[in-house]
């Protein structure tokens, strides 16, 4: 309103006052006001910074042994590139040694119990958000221990990449803790780490003379009808040519390749299913 009145006054002054200098000054002022008014009309006022979308869930990323963050870093990048409303939380559980992390099953279980406490706290603070665990190699034992220590159905889903626990590992306690079960990616081509390595030092859950689940998959231990219902939530994916085309050559680190995560793991974290009922 004040700007419009000022413009009207300048126009009247330009008409009434005929002096060249006064006309030039009034016309110049008129042009400045008109330009400033148009600037305001275009909505060029400073805009508040855009807010990030609210997170719909959390992914606890459990790396393999040795304090190496290859899996969690690749997962963080994949989630960000896909613009998924997920928070990726890195689980620090390593002792700093590849061999110690793989062979110290007691330590892995202790870290799994610590992770279970974090999961319970997160669930209490965010009851409507989904909780996922994605673990690679020896980190699988930590994730499975954590899922077994929380109340039923608190964890939405577990994704295991080349797990180094034994094929006979009892998944029933962890399956009880999950709502949508466990997805396992394994490969017979994982000859060096889960073949020769496991033959030499055993599986990460302390098994000697056992095969690793990351190479041959888990063996179901269904002894009762309840067990059968639990194992119905176990889905296992042997390595195949489709995974190879997604950048996973079937070796121990293949399942954490970015393109593989995009095409095979992120669909398991579908945002349309993130809201916990």
């Amino acid at each position: 309103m004040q700007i419009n009145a000022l413009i009207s006054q300048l126009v009247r002054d330009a008409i009434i006052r005929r002096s060249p200098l006064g006309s030039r000054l009034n016309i110049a002022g008129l042009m400045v006001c008109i330009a400033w008014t148009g600037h305001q009309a275009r909505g060029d006022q400073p805009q508040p910074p855009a807010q990030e979308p609210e997170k719909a869930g959390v992914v606890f990323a459990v790396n393999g042994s040795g304090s190496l963050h290859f899996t969690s870093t690749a997962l963080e990048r994949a989630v960000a590139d896909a613009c998924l409303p997920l928070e990726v939380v890195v689980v620090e559980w390593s002792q700093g040694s590849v061999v110690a992390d793989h062979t110290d099953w007691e330590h892995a279980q202790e870290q799994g119990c610590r992770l279970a406490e974090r999961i319970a706290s997160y669930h209490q603070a965010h009851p409507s958000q989904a909780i996922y665990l994605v673990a690679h190699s020896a980190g699988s034992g930590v994730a499975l221990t954590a899922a077994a220590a929380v109340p039923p159905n608190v964890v939405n889903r577990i994704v295991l990449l080349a797990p180094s626990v034994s094929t006979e590992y009892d998944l029933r306690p962890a399956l009880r803790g999950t709502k949508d079960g466990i997805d396992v990616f394994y490969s017979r081509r994982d000859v060096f780490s889960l073949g020769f390595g496991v033959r030499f030092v055993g599986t990460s859950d302390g098994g000697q003379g056992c095969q690793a689940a990351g190479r041959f998959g888990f063996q179901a231990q269904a002894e009762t009808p309840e067990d059968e219902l639990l194992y119905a939530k176990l889905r296992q994916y042997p390595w195949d040519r489709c995974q190879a085309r997604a950048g996973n050559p079937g070796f121990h680190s293949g399942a954490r390749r970015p393109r593989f995560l995009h095409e095979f793991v992120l669909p398991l974290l579908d945002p349309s299913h993130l809201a916990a009922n």
Side-chain angles (χ1 to χ4, degrees):
M1 294 293 291
Q2 293 178 350
I3 294 299
N4 292 336
L6 178 59
I7 292 173
S8 299
Q9 181 64 43
L10 289 171
V11 171
R12 287 195 298 271
D13 290 346
I15 295 173
I16 295 172
R17 300 178 185 176
R18 302 257 179 202
S19 64
L21 179 59
S23 298
R24 291 193 195 99
L25 291 175
N26 286 326
I27 292 172
L30 177 62
M31 292 175 66
V32 171
C33 290
I34 292 175
W36 189 85
T37 305
H39 176 78
Q40 295 290 81
R42 288 195 301 271
D44 291 337
Q45 299 93 336
Q47 298 295 322
Q51 295 182 350
E52 293 186 1
E54 184 178 355
K55 301 299 183 184
V58 62
V59 182
F60 288 99
V62 192
N63 292 288
S65 57
S67 295
L68 303 175
H69 288 191
F70 295 131
T71 302
S72 60
T73 299
L75 185 61
E76 287 175 326
R77 185 174 304 171
V79 167
D81 290 345
C83 298
L84 295 183
L86 292 169
E87 177 186 7
V88 178
V89 176
V90 181
V91 178
E92 301 288 356
W93 72 276
S94 172
Q95 302 177 77
S97 168
V98 173
V99 176
D101 288 341
H102 181 86
T103 57
D104 193 344
W105 178 233
E106 182 178 353
H107 173 76
Q109 289 179 303
E110 291 174 353
Q111 296 302 309
C113 292
R114 289 184 58 187
L115 176 56
E117 294 175 355
R118 295 180 63 183
I119 292 172
S121 297
Y122 188 92
H123 180 67
Q124 183 176 6
H126 309 279
S128 64
Q129 294 190 8
I131 298 174
Y132 289 87
L133 305 181
V134 176
H136 178 255
S137 191
S140 299
V142 177
L144 292 172
T145 300
V150 299
N153 299 327
V154 167
V155 175
N156 284 66
R157 187 189 297 264
I158 302 174
V159 180
L160 302 181
L161 310 174
S164 60
V165 295
S166 66
T167 57
E168 293 87 7
Y169 189 95
D170 188 357
L171 293 176
R172 289 172 292 184
L175 286 167
R176 290 189 186 96
T178 65
K179 179 181 178 181
D180 298 324
I182 301 174
D183 295 84
V184 182
F185 292 91
Y186 67 95
S187 171
R188 289 180 177 266
R189 303 190 74 189
D190 194 344
V191 176
F192 183 76
S193 295
L194 298 186
F196 297 122
V198 164
R199 186 178 302 174
F200 183 70
V201 298
T203 57
S204 58
D205 56 330
Q208 296 294 330
C210 304
Q211 302 286 359
R215 193 169 180 222
F216 296 99
F218 288 94
Q219 296 178 6
Q221 301 180 27
E223 301 173 356
T224 66
E226 178 191 3
D227 294 343
E228 293 180 359
L229 290 176
L230 287 174
Y231 273 100
K233 297 193 295 182
L234 172 64
R235 296 165 294 274
Q236 305 197 78
Y237 313 95
W239 179 87
D240 57 18
R241 297 294 180 183
C242 293
Q243 295 185 27
R245 286 192 289 270
N248 178 8
F251 306 140
H252 194 58
S253 62
R256 64 188 185 208
R257 299 285 178 85
R259 185 178 171 189
F260 176 84
L261 292 174
H262 273 283
E263 296 190 18
F264 286 86
V265 175
L266 293 191
L268 301 175
L269 314 179
D270 186 350
S272 65
H273 300 98
L274 283 175
N277 296 324

